[in-house]
Amino acid sequence: MGELGSSIQFLSGVGPKRAELLKKELGLETLEDLIHFYPFRYIDRSSIQKIADIHSDLASVQILAKVVSIKEVPRQRLNVTVEDGTGRMEMVFFKGIKWNRERLVPGSTFIFFGKPQEFNGRYSIVHPEVDVPREDSMTQGVLTGVYPSTDRLKTGGVTGKVMCKMVSSALNLCLPEIRETLPDYILRDMGLCPLPYALKNIHFPSDSYALEKASIRLKFEELLFLQLSLLKQKYKRSRNEHGIAMPHVGKDFHDCFNALPYPLTGAQQRVIKEIRSDMTSGHQMNRLLQGDVGSGKTMVAVLSSLIAVGNGYQACIMAPTEVLARQHFNNIQKYLAPTSVHCALLTGSTGAKERREIHSGLEDGSIGLIVGTHALLEDNVRFKSLGFAVIDEQHRFGVDQRAKLWSKGPILPDGNQAAPHVLVMTATPIPRTLAMTLYGDLDVSVIDEMPPGRKPVRTICITPSKRAAMYKFMRDEIARGRQVFVVYPMIYVNDKIDISNVEQGYEDIVEAFPLDKGYKVAIVHGQQTAEVRDFNMSAFAAGRAHILVATTVIEVGVDIPNASVMVIQSAERFGLSQLHQLRGRVGRGADSAYCILVRDFKTGKDALQRLELMCSTENGFDIAEEDMKMRGPGDLEGTQQSGLPINLNIASLARDGLLLTEARAYADRILDRDPQLQSPDNALLAKELRKGKYNIKDYSKIS
Ligand code: ADP
Ligand code: MG
């Protein structure tokens, strides 16, 4: 065995204890792991700023400063005053108090890095990164890598300096063993540097130019393999999967279409064409339909379902909650009135007798279109010939659940089981680069046009000092027959959902809008049982309650055209996409709609920026792009199903969009010429892919 596979513990200065710590904290076991563990930023002596030059517009600063004094507010925070000869500032820690108190000894000098904030004319950094200045590299003006770390590692003695030493020995031992992972022709085509050069310079750059070359090479490689593995699946599936060819459109489609109360928007027409072309192709469709809230996805789902029915198949539309399923069902029935299609609703609360009837209707094919919740996935729900499945608001559905749907497809005349065509609909505007990765093997359709007549939602941001005025405004709207949402953020205390803020909010609202004055207030939150939640939701949906106090459980899809005001409390705690989703709940009726963002007096600069953006645009894609830039894609993924695949080592979806686009186009070209990667030219690629490192958990596929 070569050096690459040997354990970190045999490096000088490491030993079993630190090795264990490195494994536990960072997942690093072998020298190879270590070599592929890259710095996340670099210290450059020339970029150190003076405290006197700081202003709060800077995204980040790096200060070389001496600790003057430390003040601890027990169990709360640690205030560390530092100076650099040009001025003083504060470093603030809410976490790791003990460890920081011990190491930040007055008189000693450190490098502090972070975002400066101004308060009362003084600057501070909350939770700065702290490094010990290293004479060797710092004085030569060389770039020094800073590695991701944890408090445990630092207290365990694995400091930045130790990390650098370890990586350096690992590189020395392993460099001769490192083999190129990209074929020559790609290196030449793209002008990429060789792997050993890249690895050496990503850890110990000889200058900023070498660092740039190294980082581009490693990022491109990562993105290329990611796209290759995704696209290979897509190629494979389009060859192997037994799709159902649906050549006809059918009478029901035309009957529905001709009776529509309004013409389809251009975007709706285009998307239906895209779907239809998939359905006729004979391959199984796996398509993501993205469209902002209110863009008219339901119509597209219904018309596409009718194409399936027109070809003798059944269709189903699944929603994540009972309320949504019922809402769909009611709307869809109106659309279906001019057709001969029999439609049914199946949810958890469907009674036993009705359930039996529905089961047999699905089995004998008399039900053409079924709308429902997870109840549709139960084993005893069998279809005569399910040819088309729509999944609404996909992020509430797990991969396993979709696998179940997949298995309900019909048996084709040749004896093979076919997977139904699948349309996944989402209102989460996913930035292009992220969609390309998350859904690398999915086709994506976008409805980028709103139906005419949708009212803009006037958005303002206020502090609680305006509460009285806000209540008055709410009363006026209610007096005009309108309804109001009041949303509170989901708060976690020790990983548990804490609902005290919603409950307190509910009490405040009930006090201001008392029952004896005729006001009715409903409340929904995640701690309620599904029944209680549904009951409250339905009361609001049916207009029996004037105000709905809620956590973000109402984020998804609920359509209550009569609601005209969305109040979002502690708005600074929400992400942009979430705010946008929430705002989309109003503005669906004929009247003007309003969104009131209530922010804390002490709102940080980033949050203020988000709130300002909300007040200035309603375009979901603009908001999503900004969101990803501000927060990195991690949080966006968080709103998707958990256990998401992306685990990029060096590339960033938010920042490396251009490289990703290039990598994808390149991967497409490679597979187009050599779908199995069998040519000798591509042997290296095939080998790398076989290692399974890039096998991202397939999020979109349903089997
Ligand atoms: P979403 O994409 O959020 O699911 P819906 O399908 O619920 O949006 O549609 C939102 C509203 O817009 C519905 O009231 C629907 O009747 C209406 N709508 C859909 N398509 C059109 C259209 N082409 N012209 C006018 N109104 C439309
Ligand atoms: Mg919808």
Side-chain angles (χ1 to χ4, degrees):
M1 192 172 71
E3 297 290 352
L4 281 169
S6 52
S7 161
I8 294 181
Q9 100 174 60
F10 302 115
L11 285 176
S12 78
V14 182
K17 230 170 142 190
R18 284 186 178 173
E20 189 55 38
L21 201 55
L22 283 160
K23 180 176 166 194
K24 216 158 139 202
E25 297 290 300
L26 302 173
L28 304 176
E29 288 185 71
T30 63
L31 297 193
E32 185 169 17
D33 295 342
L34 194 57
I35 287 177
H36 291 285
F37 185 70
Y38 309 133
F40 69 102
R41 70 182 185 87
Y42 298 82
I43 298 178
D44 176 356
R45 187 168 174 76
S46 63
S47 78
I48 284 190
Q49 284 108 332
K50 299 280 173 229
I51 291 179
D53 296 337
I54 296 181
H55 52 93
S56 52
D57 290 343
L58 293 171
S60 65
V61 291
Q62 185 164 273
I63 306 283
L64 181 69
K66 187 153 70 177
V67 177
V68 181
S69 64
I70 284 198
K71 207 168 97 202
E72 184 177 346
V73 185
R75 258 184 264 279
Q76 273 191 24
R77 65 173 169 200
L78 193 66
N79 280 9
V80 182
T81 307
V82 304
E83 71 170 6
D84 71 349
T86 73
R88 289 189 172 199
M89 70 183 296
E90 214 84 11
M91 302 293 154
V92 186
F93 300 86
F94 295 100
K95 285 187 291 189
I97 293 184
K98 181 164 169 283
W99 140 251
N100 281 301
R101 192 184 55 218
E102 280 166 15
R103 72 170 166 165
L104 298 175
V105 182
S108 46
T109 299
F110 298 91
I111 296 172
F112 299 94
F113 177 90
K115 172 150 189 43
Q117 288 179 340
E118 191 191 341
F119 193 69
N120 285 343
R122 243 182 116 143
Y123 287 98
S124 61
I125 300 180
V126 176
H127 286 229
E129 284 167 31
V130 182
D131 287 292
V132 182
R134 262 169 270 145
E135 289 315 319
D136 46 348
S137 51
M138 300 298 299
T139 44
Q140 294 157 25
V142 177
L143 294 162
T144 311
V146 181
Y147 294 87
S149 186
T150 66
D151 285 347
R152 270 206 210 114
L153 277 170
K154 288 176 197 153
T155 40
V158 187
T159 59
K161 199 167 177 174
V162 170
M163 247 346 249
C164 281
K165 267 216 176 109
M166 280 168 30
V167 175
S168 166
S169 347
L171 270 177
N172 282 336
L173 286 168
C174 299
L175 268 186
E177 254 182 73
I178 301 275
R179 296 285 165 267
E180 185 51 66
T181 43
L182 292 175
D184 263 353
Y185 78 91
I186 297 183
L187 295 183
R188 254 182 288 119
D189 255 16
M190 301 298 299
L192 300 173
C193 67
L195 184 56
Y197 176 93
L199 288 174
K200 198 160 171 293
N201 280 285
I202 201 73
H203 291 289
F204 304 102
S206 47
D207 53 40
S208 57
Y209 174 77
L211 174 60
E212 177 86 7
K213 287 221 78 146
S215 121
I216 287 184
R217 141 85 210 213
L218 295 170
K219 285 178 178 174
F220 183 80
E221 168 172 357
E222 186 168 58
L223 295 169
L224 179 71
F225 279 116
L226 185 69
Q227 291 302 324
L228 275 175
S229 89
L230 283 164
L231 290 173
K232 246 185 109 193
Q233 301 238 22
K234 178 170 169 176
Y235 273 80
K236 196 159 102 199
R237 200 179 46 232
S238 64
R239 274 198 319 277
N240 297 349
E241 220 62 79
H242 300 277
I244 309 166
M246 300 188 177
H248 313 296
V249 173
K251 182 169 180 308
D252 292 317
F253 179 97
H254 287 298
D255 288 346
C256 173
F257 187 85
N258 292 333
L260 284 181
Y262 36 70
L264 295 181
T265 62
Q268 283 171 321
Q269 285 174 30
R270 190 190 66 238
V271 168
I272 289 176
K273 268 195 202 127
E274 286 166 0
I275 293 172
R276 167 144 165 71
S277 124
D278 281 358
M279 291 170 86
T280 50
S281 74
H283 295 305
Q284 189 242 355
M285 173 176 86
N286 236 340
R287 191 171 274 280
L288 176 75
L289 175 57
Q290 274 184 273
D292 217 338
V293 279
S295 61
K297 294 185 291 297
T298 315
M299 204 59 254
V300 172
V302 171
L303 286 169
S304 320
S305 298
L306 288 177
I307 296 179
V309 174
N311 285 272
Y313 292 92
Q314 292 161 293
C316 75
I317 298 182
M318 289 215 299
T321 67
E322 183 136 359
V323 175
L324 281 175
R326 208 175 308 132
Q327 179 181 298
H328 269 321
F329 179 68
N330 292 336
N331 288 336
I332 288 169
Q333 271 192 313
K334 279 181 232 150
Y335 292 134
L336 293 184
T339 73
S340 60
V341 179
H342 180 39
C343 179
L345 173 70
L346 182 69
T347 70
S349 61
T350 305
K353 179 161 169 283
E354 197 185 348
R355 183 175 293 256
R356 271 196 305 278
E357 283 166 16
I358 289 175
H359 285 178
S360 70
L362 289 173
E363 277 173 50
D364 67 24
S366 58
I367 296 176
L369 177 58
I370 179 104
V371 179
T373 56
H374 296 86
L376 285 173
L377 295 173
E378 280 162 24
D379 288 334
N380 55 10
V381 176
R382 282 178 291 267
F383 290 83
K384 179 164 182 242
S385 58
L386 179 65
F388 189 77
V390 179
I391 301 175
D392 195 9
E393 308 295 359
Q394 107 290 348
H395 54 283
R396 302 283 160 114
F397 273 99
V399 175
D400 298 347
Q401 290 161 329
R402 280 182 273 148
K404 284 212 152 168
L405 235 198
W406 188 273
S407 71
K408 291 183 189 292
I411 306 295
L412 294 179
D414 64 7
N416 286 306
Q417 189 182 32
H421 297 298
V422 176
L423 184 69
V424 176
M425 306 200 294
T426 178
T428 312
I430 303 165
R432 232 180 96 71
T433 54
L434 189 57
M436 238 193 252
T437 307
L438 285 184
Y439 309 108
D441 73 331
L442 256 194
D443 297 302
V444 180
S445 289
V446 181
I447 304 188
D448 50 7
E449 181 186 349
M450 282 295 188
R454 201 182 143 86
K455 291 282 179 312
V457 181
R458 283 196 47 198
T459 305
I460 58 164
C461 184
I462 60 170
T463 58
S465 61
K466 296 263 168 60
R467 180 176 305 151
M470 181 175 88
Y471 283 168
K472 173 164 189 314
F473 180 75
M474 286 164 64
R475 270 184 222 111
D476 291 347
E477 282 292 300
I478 292 171
R480 297 175 54 227
R482 297 293 163 201
Q483 291 166 281
V484 180
F485 289 105
V486 182
V487 178
Y488 289 82
M490 202 93 91
I491 290 181
Y492 291 87
V493 173
N494 298 330
D495 288 346
K496 289 222 177 67
I497 297 178
D498 175 18
I499 53 165
S500 56
N501 67 326
V502 198
E503 288 182 326
Q504 182 58 49
Y506 176 74
E507 277 166 28
D508 293 348
I509 295 286
V510 169
E511 201 182 306
F513 297 83
L515 188 61
D516 57 23
K517 294 251 175 73
Y519 292 109
K520 293 197 191 109
V521 185
I523 173 169
V524 300
H525 57 71
Q527 299 284 63
Q528 292 166 326
T529 62
E531 287 77 38
V532 173
R533 203 160 57 225
D534 263 5
F535 178 84
N536 276 281
M537 222 32 245
S538 312
F540 189 67
R544 290 194 299 275
H546 303 104
I547 300 177
L548 181 71
V549 174
T551 53
T552 45
V553 288
I554 54 151
E555 201 178 311
V556 168
V558 201
D559 198 4
I560 298 172
N562 194 44
S564 64
V565 185
M566 168 64 65
V567 176
I568 304 178
Q569 302 279 6
S570 308
E572 74 280 355
R573 288 171 171 256
F574 290 84
L576 271 173
S577 295
Q578 237 180 348
L579 290 172
H580 178 68
Q581 290 290 311
L582 287 169
R583 178 169 60 184
R585 300 297 118 222
V586 294
R588 307 186 145 220
D591 276 29
S592 333
Y594 307 87
C595 176
I596 304 176
L597 307 169
V598 185
R599 69 166 175 89
D600 195 79
F601 290 109
K602 285 186 288 188
T603 300
K605 201 155 159 266
D606 291 350
L608 268 185
Q609 238 176 22
R610 287 202 298 274
L611 299 179
E612 273 161 24
L613 186 70
M614 281 299 293
C615 295
S616 65
T617 179
E618 272 199 75
N619 183 311
F621 281 90
D622 288 352
I623 290 176
E625 290 282 352
E626 276 308 309
D627 201 22
M628 190 159 94
K629 281 194 201 126
M630 284 185 201
R631 311 194 301 168
D635 293 300
L636 250 182
E637 288 152 28
T639 70
Q640 310 285 327
Q641 198 58 44
S642 60
L644 220 75
I646 308 183
N647 195 2
L648 293 174
N649 201 5
I650 178 165
S652 143
L653 297 177
R655 271 168 280 132
D656 302 317
L658 204 63
L659 262 185
L660 176 64
T661 315
E662 261 181 65
R664 183 174 175 89
Y666 206 91
D668 218 9
R669 284 217 302 280
I670 294 174
L671 289 173
D672 197 40
R673 283 196 306 259
D674 183 11
Q676 309 269 34
L677 298 180
Q678 282 166 327
S679 92
D681 266 359
N682 289 326
L684 275 180
L685 297 178
K687 185 173 150 205
E688 228 12 58
L689 281 179
R690 267 198 306 276
K691 286 188 190 161
K693 195 162 44 172
Y694 299 93
N695 275 0
I696 76 161
K697 195 164 138 200
D698 191 352
Y699 172 58
S700 53
K701 193 178 169 194
I702 299 177
S703 66

